[in-house]
Amino acid sequence: MAKIAMIGAGSVVFAKNLLGDILTLPELFGSTISLMDVDEERLRLVAALARRIVEQEGSCFEVQATLDRREALRGAAYVIVMINVGGLEAIRHDNEIPEQFGVKQCIGDTLGPGGVFKGLRLVPAILEICRDMEELCPDALLMNYSNPMAIICWAVNEATAVKNVGLCHSVQSTAEQLARYIGAVSPETSHWVAGINHMAWFLRFAWKGKDAYPLLFEKMQDPEVFAKDPVRFEIMKQFGYFVTESSYHMSEYVPYFRKRADLLEEFGGPVGHYYRDVYSKHPASHFEQVRREIEGRDRIELKRTHEYASSIIRAMETGEPATINGNTKNAGLVTNLPQGCCVEVPCLVDRNGIHPCYVGELPPQCAALNRSNVSVQELAVKAALHGDREAAIHAVMLDPLTASVCSLREIRQMVDEMLAAEAEFLPQFFSY
């Protein structure tokens, strides 16, 4: 059976979800799961959790844990990547330096100064993984969960021959939300979604086979419903289609919601939410709960998630088809987005791999919003691959949110300060 490598397995919360999905699939019994991280303590915790799941569920997996990436990758059929580079220090710079220039990000991991710089840090690290894969498991499928998704996948496609797909949960999560908004249950709805990661569009949304958009527009008129998703409902009201990522995220990708105090109060959400409220506050209680589960004091409550990784592996191992939305190279799939960029489109998965579906043209207003982000991604990829300082500056200059509040001179100064602050994590820009 297959060997599944998880690189960055010390991401305890996310790893637990993926492990629960994979380790409870009978079709994968007999497989090996190889966990790798640079943090020995977290790696030990996740490995113990994985072994406890196998024991509790009576499943049949070999669980390996290693600090050696090459050991984890050797002979793998599937490689799941969920890494970070720079930790809290880098994320602090991603948020605090732009904030000093008036760029008030909420998440800062996909676009904007924070997203660009996270891409500059992660691309070299993921390319190292790809070089090892080309040597040690050349036929393996890379499944990337790290953000900024589009920048990373674009760079992998441009610089390597590794088979890859970028995976996110925003399509699945949004489909469930839309069902709740209209009073339906998710299995009764269907959708056709395409665009770019974190800005893909529900081109069709149906309930029991009928177009559900009229009902969604009707429900939006309820102030209580609108308040649950103000940015995305406003985008739908003005542009005609619902978008996949949360209001917090979407507020950062366009110039409309975070450039003034009144707009921030109405639409934008908190400043530095991911850095201040999520990433820097891993609750001790969560790790204590994981330890209780490992020791058998509490049962591990496993509920199948809507993450795609296990479904892909199952489909490729059994030949029973599955459908996903994946991030892949735009090779004529979305005809009014640039060829070669990274698009998020419906895909069929079977024993032969992942088959992206042809979409054709997006509504022109949706494609235009996508292209405003794709331009930033293109320059960020160039900067990450070649250590091109000017390309990094131009990427941030073209960012819609940054451009709405900063002058060109201010943006150049901001990027210079970020490069200096994060120099230890950006070797491609500095030769010593």
Side-chain angles (χ1 to χ4, degrees):
M1 294 296 289
K3 179 180 179 181
I4 304 161
M6 293 178 65
I7 310 299
S11 303
V12 177
V13 177
F14 193 56
K16 179 181 177 181
N17 290 336
L18 292 184
L19 288 170
D21 289 346
I22 293 169
L23 296 177
T24 55
L25 275 181
E27 296 91 338
L28 302 184
F29 283 7
S31 297
T32 297
I33 190 151
S34 186
L35 307 170
M36 181 271 161
D37 202 273
V38 296
D39 187 318
E40 187 171 4
E41 181 181 355
R42 286 189 174 218
L43 177 64
R44 189 183 300 115
L45 188 71
V46 172
L49 179 66
R51 294 184 178 112
R52 180 73 186 103
I53 292 172
V54 170
E55 179 186 0
Q56 174 183 292
E57 300 300 312
S59 54
C60 180
F61 284 82
E62 179 184 352
V63 178
Q64 301 173 347
T66 178
L67 297 168
D68 185 338
R69 184 178 70 221
R70 290 176 62 84
E71 180 182 338
L73 292 174
R74 186 171 282 106
Y78 306 96
V79 178
I80 300 171
V81 172
M82 42 188 176
I83 67 169
N84 194 12
V85 174
L88 184 60
E89 179 183 359
I91 293 174
R92 178 171 64 84
H93 295 313
D94 286 349
N95 284 266
E96 290 185 352
I97 294 174
E99 193 173 340
Q100 292 169 9
F101 287 83
V103 184
K104 295 177 169 56
Q105 301 167 106
C106 182
I107 311 296
D109 72 348
T110 300
L111 210 71
V116 168
F117 270 78
K118 190 174 184 186
L120 299 182
R121 297 193 304 273
L122 264 69
V123 164
I126 290 181
L127 292 185
E128 288 183 6
I129 296 170
C130 290
R131 293 186 194 103
D132 283 347
M133 289 179 64
E134 288 173 332
E135 177 187 349
L136 300 169
C137 52
D139 297 322
L141 173 68
L142 170 66
M143 291 181 273
N144 176 60
Y145 273 102
S146 298
N147 281 325
M149 180 67 68
I151 291 171
I152 290 169
C153 291
W154 192 336
V156 169
N157 288 327
E158 187 161 319
T160 82
V162 170
K163 292 184 293 186
N164 71 92
V165 65
L167 301 178
C168 184
H169 49 242
S170 59
V171 173
Q172 310 95 293
S173 298
T174 300
E176 292 175 358
Q177 286 177 288
L178 292 180
R180 289 194 295 270
Y181 291 152
I182 64 172
V185 292
S186 189
E188 297 176 344
T189 66
S190 60
H191 52 267
W192 181 254
V193 180
I196 61 174
N197 182 241
H198 286 192
M199 197 193 281
W201 306 95
F202 275 72
L203 303 175
R204 294 199 296 271
F205 178 59
W207 183 14
K208 297 180 178 179
K210 294 184 179 180
D211 181 13
Y213 258 114
L215 182 56
L216 189 59
F217 273 95
E218 178 186 324
K219 295 293 185 180
M220 180 184 68
Q221 304 307 315
D222 182 338
E224 289 188 7
V225 174
F226 189 93
K228 294 177 180 178
D229 228 337
V231 171
R232 293 200 289 181
F233 277 126
E234 186 69 12
I235 288 289
M236 185 181 78
K237 178 180 178 181
Q238 303 296 341
F239 290 94
Y241 294 86
F242 206 87
V243 72
T244 50
E245 198 42 80
S246 68
S247 281
Y248 280 1
H249 270 289
M250 187 62 188
S251 70
E252 298 181 308
Y253 308 152
V254 290
Y256 313 118
F257 301 108
R258 306 187 68 85
K259 61 185 175 181
R260 298 198 313 258
D262 61 316
L263 295 171
L264 262 175
E265 183 176 353
E266 183 177 3
F267 292 106
V271 177
H273 170 65
Y274 178 66
Y275 160 58
R276 294 189 176 98
D277 301 331
V278 179
Y279 192 86
S280 63
K281 295 181 180 178
H282 289 297
S285 59
H286 173 76
F287 291 99
E288 174 58 26
Q289 178 59 37
V290 170
R291 292 186 181 95
R292 291 178 62 87
E293 292 169 346
I294 291 169
E295 293 165 4
R297 290 183 284 161
D298 288 345
R299 179 178 175 81
I300 305 173
E301 298 298 329
L302 297 174
K303 181 181 179 182
R304 188 153 191 81
T305 76
H306 49 211
E307 302 294 349
Y308 286 133
S310 64
S311 298
I312 291 172
I313 298 171
R314 181 181 181 277
M316 291 182 65
E317 290 297 308
T318 67
E320 185 175 332
T323 56
I324 67 165
N325 270 72
N327 290 272
T328 189
K329 184 176 182 178
N330 188 25
L333 302 171
V334 182
T335 53
N336 55 351
L337 291 183
Q339 296 300 295
C341 76
C342 180
V343 290
E344 189 169 77
V345 296
C347 303
L348 174 69
V349 190
D350 60 19
R351 195 181 295 279
N352 295 314
I354 296 176
H355 312 285
C357 296
Y358 173 80
V359 173
E361 286 196 356
L362 299 176
Q365 70 275 24
C366 298
L369 287 172
N370 284 165
R371 286 194 297 266
S372 72
N373 284 215
V374 169
S375 296
V376 178
Q377 295 161 2
E378 179 181 20
L379 285 156
V381 170
K382 181 181 179 182
L385 291 180
H386 304 293
D388 188 328
R389 190 184 192 97
E390 284 299 300
I393 293 169
H394 293 155
V396 181
M397 284 178 170
L398 290 171
D399 172 61
L401 171 59
T402 305
S404 73
V405 296
C406 290
S407 71
L408 292 172
R409 291 177 181 176
E410 289 168 339
I411 295 171
R412 182 172 290 272
Q413 181 183 346
M414 176 177 63
V415 175
D416 284 344
E417 290 185 15
M418 293 178 74
L419 284 167
E422 300 186 24
E424 65 179 297
F425 310 119
L426 301 170
Q428 70 270 47
F429 291 93
F430 301 93
S431 57
Y432 298 98

